[in-house]
Amino acid sequence: MRPAVLLFASLCAWTAVSVSSRGEQTPALPAAFPASAWTALAHGDRTGADRLARARPQGDPDAAAILARLEIDRGRYDAAVALLQPAADRHPLGDAALELGLLQRRLGRHAIATPLLTAVAGQTGEDPLSRLRSARAESALGKVREANALFRAAAASGPDPRIDTAWGRLFFEKYNPPEAVKSFRQAIARDPRWAPAHGGLARALAEADPPAAAAAAARALDIDPHLADAELLLAELDLDNSHYDAARTRLARLLDWNPADLDALALGAAIKYVRGDRPGFEADAARALAI
């Protein structure tokens, strides 16, 4: 968990204490569509991803996953759930089910998220994308060894920047930045325009080499101007250098795109608290807690 989120969670907890003293099946579809749509998203081409998804037949679960990710990107979480739930009901092992589980977990609804993620994690498909879904689900459930083995098996099936990027996130989240850097660089070598890999590389380099991290984040934003994690990292680096106005500008830009971005709200609340703006902190805390 990021330091700003930890601080925000602690402050919210303190504030709270002080205040209170299966259905119809859709035919199998070629893999070309989901691969091209996920690539468009990774390249920052949301319009292209949306166009590809809307061209699919009604009820296509892969299209639902793409359209939901576009809604999540703008903070429209209820709309995303409405898209994902029917698709996950019909295809409990697919991308829609995984995205729904990850979103519900992100929103703190663990009782809903855990069964969804457990089902995805338990699938037995041996193709790389099935293994990728299982690995991401295992990672979200905290099963690091299982996730790592699945990522390794998925990567052995062939080059795929989506696999490398997700594997890099696992390494980073489990406190292994050097291996994370290797995975993100592998993804970039496979596709230099894979913005999430540049953003992940920035995050993995932040402690050891802040200037290189800033350059990687800037590259990510050159490709995808709305990549939240890259913008957030640059705001954090601004704070490390006491550039409060620059950090606030970045957070304002991020929240203009996604008013419900929990990481941005957390960092903004933490800044206001440590700068003595208690009313501003409580306002941001209330916005986050409402989500």
Side-chain angles (χ1 to χ4, degrees):
M1 185 177 289
R2 298 188 182 105
V5 180
L6 280 170
L7 175 58
F8 174 71
S10 299
L11 293 173
C12 282
W14 179 86
T15 302
V17 170
S18 65
V19 170
S20 61
S21 243
R22 298 249 188 238
E24 182 181 352
Q25 298 297 310
T26 299
L29 296 170
F33 157 67
S36 59
W38 288 114
T39 297
L41 282 177
H43 290 175
D45 182 9
R46 292 171 178 79
T47 300
D50 181 82
R51 182 174 60 251
L52 287 167
R54 293 188 185 281
R56 303 303 295 170
Q58 186 173 5
D60 181 342
D62 291 325
I66 295 294
L67 293 171
R69 278 292 292 272
L70 291 167
E71 296 288 1
I72 292 167
D73 198 40
R74 300 303 301 269
R76 297 190 282 255
Y77 304 130
D78 289 342
V81 170
L83 284 164
L84 291 169
Q85 189 67 64
D89 289 343
R90 292 194 303 273
H91 299 272
L93 305 183
D95 278 343
L98 173 62
E99 294 296 332
L100 181 59
L102 294 174
L103 174 59
Q104 297 287 26
R105 184 176 180 275
R106 174 80 170 146
L107 297 174
R109 303 166 185 166
H110 293 277
I112 301 173
T114 298
L116 289 161
L117 294 170
T118 300
V120 174
Q123 64 183 286
T124 58
E126 296 185 357
D127 62 285
L129 294 183
S130 293
R131 285 172 168 162
L132 172 60
R133 283 191 293 269
S134 293
R136 293 179 64 202
E138 294 280 28
S139 178
L141 292 167
K143 297 180 179 179
V144 179
R145 291 184 179 178
E146 294 86 342
N148 189 55
L150 285 161
F151 277 127
R152 182 177 292 108
S157 301
D160 188 331
R162 192 175 167 195
I163 294 171
D164 295 320
T165 301
W167 202 0
R169 287 181 184 138
L170 175 69
F171 284 127
F172 177 74
E173 290 168 2
K174 302 310 171 185
Y175 315 108
N176 192 344
E179 288 300 319
V181 167
K182 289 180 184 178
S183 288
F184 291 130
R185 284 180 170 157
Q186 179 82 298
I188 292 166
R190 301 192 197 287
D191 186 340
R193 290 188 55 76
W194 204 267
H198 289 281
L201 178 62
R203 185 65 63 182
L205 290 170
E207 289 292 329
D209 192 346
R219 175 57 181 149
L221 291 172
D222 284 343
I223 300 166
D224 180 358
H226 299 297
L227 189 65
D229 194 49
E231 191 80 82
L232 192 72
L233 177 64
L234 289 174
E236 292 171 6
L237 293 174
D238 285 334
L239 289 176
D240 289 343
N241 292 296
S242 300
H243 298 156
Y244 295 104
D245 288 343
R248 281 192 288 262
T249 298
R250 291 192 180 280
L251 292 177
R253 183 161 53 237
L254 205 164
L255 289 168
D256 183 61
W257 174 257
N258 177 359
D261 188 297
L262 290 167
D263 288 324
L265 290 171
L267 186 57
I271 293 170
K272 289 171 183 173
Y273 190 87
V274 299
R275 299 287 287 175
D277 181 5
R278 181 59 183 269
F281 159 73
E282 291 181 347
D284 280 356
R287 288 173 66 188
L289 291 170
I291 299 167

